[in-house]
Amino acid sequence: GGQLKVLDFGIARLLATGTTQTAAGLTGSGLGLIGTPAYAAPEQMISSAVDERADLYALGVMLFEMVSGRRPFMGNDPVTLASSKLGEDAPALKSIGALIPWEFERLVASLLARDRDQRPASATEVLEHLRSIYGTRATGSADAARPSRSTASLLAAVVLLAAVAGFGVWQVQRMAGVRSPAAPLPAIPVVAVLPLSHVSGDSAREFLAAGIAESLIASLASLPAITVLSRASVAEARSRHSESAALARDLGANYLVEGSVQESGSRLRISLNLVRPDRTVAWGDTIEGTFDRIFELQSRLAGALTSALAVRVSPDEQSRMDTPPTSSSEALSAFWRGQALLERRDVKGNLDGAIAAFLDAIRHDRQFALAHAALGTAYWAQYTETLAPEWTEKAIEAGTTALRIDPNRPEVRYTLAVTLTGRGRLDEAVDELNRALAMRPNYDDARSQLGLVLGLQGRVDESVAEYRKALSSRPNSWSTYSSMGRVLLAAGRYDDAIAAFQKVTELQPDNYMGFQQLGTAYHTVGKAEQALENYRRTIAIRPSAGAYSNIGALHHARGEYVEAVEAYRQAIALRPNSSATHRNLGDALARLGRRTEALAAYRAAVRLGVAELRVNPRNARILASLAVHMQKAGDAAGARKRLQEALEIAPTDIEVLYRAAVVHALQGRIQPAVRALGLAVAGGYSRARVNEEDDFVSLRASAEFQAIVGSLNP
């Protein structure tokens, strides 16, 4: 009811033998205690000469219990408690695993000191300590002089009220149970909000639980003192792990948020737990309300979680947390429904349903920026499914609309940046990502995306620096190592790429992608056996088009063309739209003398390459690859045109230069081929890959070619 009730301050002391307490005074016989033994100070167990510092000890017990869920000395037997309190120091509050600042730990330890002279001198002093830790204004005035015995209890109550008002972690570990020790709270907690379970039995309403989880992510992510992982990152990790410790390790998370949502008519009951990887519960709470007050419920939940994590929240940050993304609960419901469908876009019809839901949300609130941004994401997903270029234009339009409505939401800028990256508008993507990170420095997805885009621009050192920043908050993030490794591999920094991919396999020994990437890196530097071993481990975990395609390349290099054809066909069955795999298939068929089949494969590669180019017409590597496909399909003029476009865009890119050498060599232009190849190898391209390239047969007799492949290490 909002009223503070103060009990059991300053009355506990052990009665003399042969005495009991009655209404009239001290009479009777036996050993007794006035008050509750668990909260009595050590000196009260042996003497009646006590002062207000005994009240401060009781306050220390209460604060310890409120934070940890247990008292510093367990049990109720007066003799046992007296022995413990007089003979042992109180355990440190941090040993319980509560999420609290060290200054508060030290204050509670001083309140529980066995020697009362080691405790704070007065309740006023305790209040000042609390103000210094939490910046809490006093709830009333307190005289600086030592209070009289009659005012000690009142001031202790004021201290307790100030603690409750300024220290939200008083709710931590409300649930009963013994807590195991936990590691100290990291400088920036990394939190993964898991999908909440919907326990009302209506599968059509499960989107509600997912939406509440997403709203928590958005609220917590607005705080620079917390790193909150995206829903996509969590969903990806959950597809591989069901056990909490493995899930947290995969994500690099210190804490998981889990819980449930129950609906009864228009009423909601939301239960949340903050859980450590070892399954100990740091905090838990349940709130109830109606859906038309969902924004208030979200705000209360986010506030309780930040308190449980002992995170300070400035007034501006609190305002951002409390500001709903839309004023319409109907729009929010439609938005959440669309997000749930988009998350399972692999289910037939869900992508169309997501687009319809986002459009419905926008009909309810045309100024709903996040709905426009999500619509752009759905449009982009439609493109990746259909390769129809019109979807990319719609995606850009929706993202731009979201940005115009609310330029101060980092999610809006990040979503637009992803689409811009796919369209090859890299400078614009970098601008949007930098703005998103200025608003939310711990925006992990934006940081990794920025690393990717900088890598695509050839700014490798800057790219790696961004990935390192991301790893500083999530040192066990395999996906960050994976992305960084891809940038390093493309830049020809093979040793660094191998180290990054090895880290992926160490962090995620059941992740097929890490082994495939590591195999590719070994393959690139000519370590065929190590490459093959990693490709086989990849397929043992999960059939992979990339692994089968690369196994085909290994067979091809050994002259095992029948085996190469079989591997390439397995890759195409898993991933039919890869232009490079069709070209490789054509190469193996050509070596077997099956020219008609080879030409069909080359023409398929051209068709797929042209489709890829529609999305990003200025992607130099796609242009250069398309030039190779066209040359092999018999279109020499088209190949020269595409190659010239690629070189104008990226004249120093080692992949573009290498493919230029291939096209020139196939056209019999020896000197241009050798010149381009020399630049590629000087830039870091693998000599081992050059040595095994069939397309350089016309170059091998030249002294320049021998100098290139013989002068540098792989």
Side-chain angles (χ1 to χ4, degrees), residues 193 209-219 230-232 335-336 339 411:
V193 179
I212 292 172
E214 180 66 19
S215 72
L216 286 173
I217 293 172
S219 295
S230 70
R231 183 179 55 178
F335 173 66
W336 285 351
Q339 283 186 309
E411 304 95 331

Side-chain angles (χ1 to χ4, degrees), residues 407-488:
N408 296 318
R409 284 195 178 272
E411 304 95 331
V412 168
R413 293 191 177 275
Y414 167 74
T415 301
L416 179 58
V418 171
T419 307
L420 291 169
T421 302
R423 291 296 305 272
R425 293 161 61 175
L426 302 183
D427 289 341
E428 295 171 77
V430 168
D431 288 343
E432 295 302 334
L433 292 166
N434 280 326
R435 290 189 178 100
L437 287 165
M439 299 176 197
R440 187 186 299 170
N442 294 325
Y443 199 167
D444 191 60
D445 287 346
R447 181 81 60 195
S448 291
Q449 182 71 15
L450 180 58
L452 171 65
V453 179
L454 292 171
L456 292 173
Q457 291 182 314
R459 299 157 65 181
V460 179
D461 289 339
E462 294 174 73
S463 170
V464 171
E466 292 301 328
Y467 285 122
R468 295 292 181 195
K469 290 177 186 176
L471 289 168
S472 67
S473 61
R474 290 179 62 201
N476 294 328
S477 171
W478 71 269
S479 59
T480 302
Y481 280 108
S482 174
S483 297
M484 182 170 65
R486 290 198 299 271
V487 169
L488 292 166

Side-chain angles (χ1 to χ4, degrees), residues 5 177 216 290 345 355 388 402 451 546 618 671 699:
K5 299 182 180 180
L216 286 173
T290 55
R345 68 190 71 174
I355 291 173
R618 291 188 58 77
Q671 289 306 313
L699 308 181

Side-chain angles (χ1 to χ4, degrees), residues 630-648:
M630 297 176 81
Q631 176 64 40
K632 294 192 174 194
D635 184 1
R640 286 193 295 271
K641 180 176 182 295
R642 294 303 190 184
L643 181 59
Q644 183 61 35
E645 293 173 5
L647 288 168
E648 288 174 359

Side-chain angles (χ1 to χ4, degrees), residues 63-71 93 96 98 172-173 179:
L63 291 177
F64 190 104
E65 185 175 12
M66 294 166 85
V67 170
S68 71
R70 54 172 288 184
R71 294 189 296 273
L93 186 54
I96 304 302
V172 171
Q173 298 179 344
R179 313 298 180 196

Side-chain angles (χ1 to χ4, degrees), residues 367-421:
Q367 299 302 304
F368 193 175
L370 290 183
H372 286 280
L375 181 61
T377 300
Y379 284 151
W380 185 257
Q382 278 283 34
Y383 162 71
T384 61
E385 290 284 331
T386 64
L387 296 181
E390 60 268 20
W391 291 112
T392 66
E393 297 298 332
K394 289 186 175 184
I396 292 286
E397 182 182 356
T400 304
T401 300
L403 187 63
R404 184 176 65 251
I405 293 171
D406 192 348
N408 296 318
R409 284 195 178 272
E411 304 95 331
V412 168
R413 293 191 177 275
Y414 167 74
T415 301
L416 179 58
V418 171
T419 307
L420 291 169
T421 302

